[in-house]
Amino acid sequence: PNVKLVTSDNEEFVVDFRIAKMSVTVSRLMEAMNMSETDDASLLSNSIPLPNVTKAVMARVIEWCEKHKNDEPKEEKENDKRGRTTHVVSDWDKEFLKNDEFGRLCQLMGAANYLEIKGLFNDISQTIANMIHGKKSDEIAEMFNIHCDLTEAEKKEIRKKTAWCED
Amino acid sequence: ESMIHVSQLIIPLRNMILPKKNSQMQTMHLLELPHDVLRELMKLMSINDCMRLRRTCRAFEKLVAATHTSFGHAVISIEEIQVFEEQKNTSLKKSVAVVNLDQDRFKIDFTEFGYEQFGRLMNRMFGGILIRECTISLRHECMHIDFVLQLARLFKINLLTFLVYSDRLLQKV
């Protein structure tokens, strides 16, 4: 069975029920609209509006979901040495995200967050964390197009505060 | 009436966004992402990476400062290091506390900063700090109990362990 998803720019995407279910947000909306896998009429007569996702971003999300639809539910492993979670980004995912310009990566991350697709969200956030790792402040600012509004005095003050933990 | 709407707080961040060069597609800026998304991102970053991100602009400076952070394991030991004194043109030995926090390593000068200041600095950088497991490792040195009490006051520690290596130290105690 198929489900119709409608983006903010009024594009309709018809996807498999299983793909639609990968998004917690879409799942909840389907439930609220009494749409079920066994009730074709309910799927045909309804479509899910997604006002926070554009056509271009939705196409990327669906591409990711298609690839991962048969994945076993992954257990989040905590890296005990760091005490923080590190997500393993598969080679396919690296390749998938490699060519995205950073602005589009942010859009995709925003969409993954809104649609609640945890696997995609983790992939992107780990990718961005890896991009930041080991870079100097001005390199980070340039990479992410951040306009620095800190005065020299403020920068000095922050540097003073954090001097003890610099490399 | 006096309440400030969330959108009013977000506008200053948006104002900072520069137009991207040669952009054909509609793109998005990192700071346009909701704060909870950025906080998730920071959980994956090391403390040093967070500090560098903090110096990029005001919005990140605020965001990092308001973030609660947690560490898996802290190992604290005392080491002697050689310090060169320029004025006297001599080098002398000095005790420092070496704090290994997960993948980051900090040296704290007792004499100038002291443990308390270290704690204050840490807490000023983040909204709150949780250390799941803290090990204090002593080989030949003594550590003042005040430091341990200070540590417990400044950080939330789930498990505190002492490693005492030498018999001599026990005799000293």
Side-chain angles (χ1 to χ4, degrees):
Chain A
N2 290 329
V3 178
K4 286 179 281 187
L5 308 174
V6 180
T7 60
S8 62
D9 37 3
N10 268 323
E11 185 78 11
E12 191 179 271
F13 285 85
V14 180
V15 298
D16 189 77
F17 189 84
R18 228 172 3 147
I19 298 276
K21 286 284 273 188
M22 288 170 81
S23 155
V24 176
T25 305
V26 172
S27 275
R28 279 202 206 112
L29 285 169
M30 287 198 295
E31 228 169 86
M33 292 162 93
N34 289 321
M35 295 162 74
S36 92
E37 194 175 5
T38 48
D39 181 1
D40 276 348
S42 73
L43 298 180
L44 276 169
S45 58
N46 287 305
S47 58
I48 306 282
L50 299 168
N52 287 353
V53 188
T54 61
K55 168 170 88 178
V57 176
M58 197 63 211
R60 299 278 293 152
V61 172
I62 292 171
E63 193 186 344
W64 186 92
C65 289
E66 282 285 351
K67 175 69 191 174
H68 291 272
K69 64 182 174 193
N70 297 322
D71 285 5
E72 297 280 319
K74 246 205 294 192
E75 268 202 26
E76 270 313 320
K77 267 200 182 156
E78 218 177 26
N79 183 338
D80 1 3
K81 203 176 158 243
R82 288 182 55 194
R84 272 164 271 191
T85 322
T86 310
H87 306 295
V88 180
V89 184
S90 73
D91 288 343
W92 187 90
D93 291 323
K94 276 183 198 153
E95 198 59 31
F96 175 74
L97 298 172
K98 196 177 75 180
N99 295 323
D100 271 308
E101 185 212 332
F102 186 70
R104 294 199 58 197
L105 211 56
C106 285
Q107 278 185 317
L108 202 55
M109 192 173 177
N113 178 55
Y114 166 70
L115 293 168
E116 287 190 58
I117 305 172
K118 206 163 185 322
L120 179 59
F121 183 83
N122 290 347
D123 270 355
I124 302 168
S125 44
Q126 189 63 55
T127 302
I128 296 176
N130 292 348
M131 286 163 80
I132 294 171
H133 184 64
K135 294 226 168 47
K136 294 196 184 94
S137 292
D138 48 349
E139 288 171 336
I140 298 172
E142 200 194 321
M143 182 166 66
F144 297 150
N145 205 23
I146 296 168
H147 166 64
C148 185
D149 54 355
L150 292 164
T151 62
E152 280 307 313
E154 280 171 317
K155 269 195 213 172
K156 222 173 154 182
E157 183 60 31
I158 300 172
R159 202 176 268 280
K160 221 162 80 186
K161 272 195 253 176
T162 61
W164 57 273
C165 74
E166 294 293 319
D167 300 330
Chain B
E1 267 76 20
S2 62
M3 267 171 64
I4 300 170
H5 192 264
V6 179
S7 62
Q8 283 175 271
L9 295 168
I10 292 165
I11 291 163
L13 301 184
R14 295 235 163 118
N15 286 346
M16 295 184 2
I17 297 153
L18 299 173
K20 191 101 188 169
K21 289 163 237 159
N22 307 323
S23 107
Q24 293 155 336
M25 295 277 309
Q26 189 199 348
T27 73
M28 193 180 187
H29 196 271
L30 189 60
L31 284 164
E32 277 181 279
L33 288 166
H35 279 190
D36 54 339
V37 171
L38 293 175
R39 271 188 215 107
E40 285 300 313
L41 174 65
M42 271 180 243
K43 281 186 196 164
L44 301 173
M45 289 163 52
S46 79
I47 183 169
N48 276 324
D49 288 337
C50 283
M51 289 302 100
R52 293 193 204 96
L53 183 65
R54 189 179 172 166
R55 284 206 305 267
T56 56
C57 67
R58 249 179 225 151
F60 273 123
E61 141 80 356
K62 277 199 192 122
L63 195 69
V64 177
T67 305
H68 287 250
T69 194
S70 68
F71 298 98
H73 201 179
V75 179
I76 302 171
S77 59
I78 298 173
E79 278 178 25
E80 279 208 329
I81 55 161
Q82 293 272 358
V83 187
F84 186 73
E85 285 221 327
E86 234 173 276
Q87 291 147 335
K88 292 176 194 160
N89 203 22
T90 52
S91 66
L92 53 115
K93 276 189 181 171
K94 195 155 86 172
S95 278
V96 291
V98 177
V99 182
N100 283 291
L101 261 180
D102 295 334
Q103 58 179 355
D104 298 308
R105 184 182 158 92
F106 315 114
K107 278 204 179 86
I108 301 143
D109 190 333
F110 281 99
T111 48
E112 272 178 50
F113 293 101
Y115 287 129
E116 199 198 328
Q117 252 160 322
F118 164 65
R120 270 206 220 118
L121 288 172
M122 284 290 272
N123 275 342
R124 205 153 60 177
M125 272 191 317
F126 297 100
I129 297 171
L130 165 78
I131 299 174
R132 292 199 185 83
E133 227 183 297
C134 181
T135 307
I136 296 178
S137 163
L138 299 170
R139 283 174 193 277
H140 313 287
E141 317 83 358
C142 279
M143 189 177 268
H144 206 279
I145 189 74
D146 277 353
F147 162 64
V148 184
L149 295 173
Q150 199 69 260
L151 202 71
R153 238 193 348 250
L154 292 165
F155 307 109
K156 188 172 157 50
I157 299 169
N158 286 354
L159 181 71
L160 179 66
T161 320
F162 287 92
L163 276 182
V164 182
Y165 284 87
S166 82
D167 297 341
R168 244 190 324 167
L169 183 66
L170 285 173
Q171 280 165 14
K172 239 174 144 178
V173 172

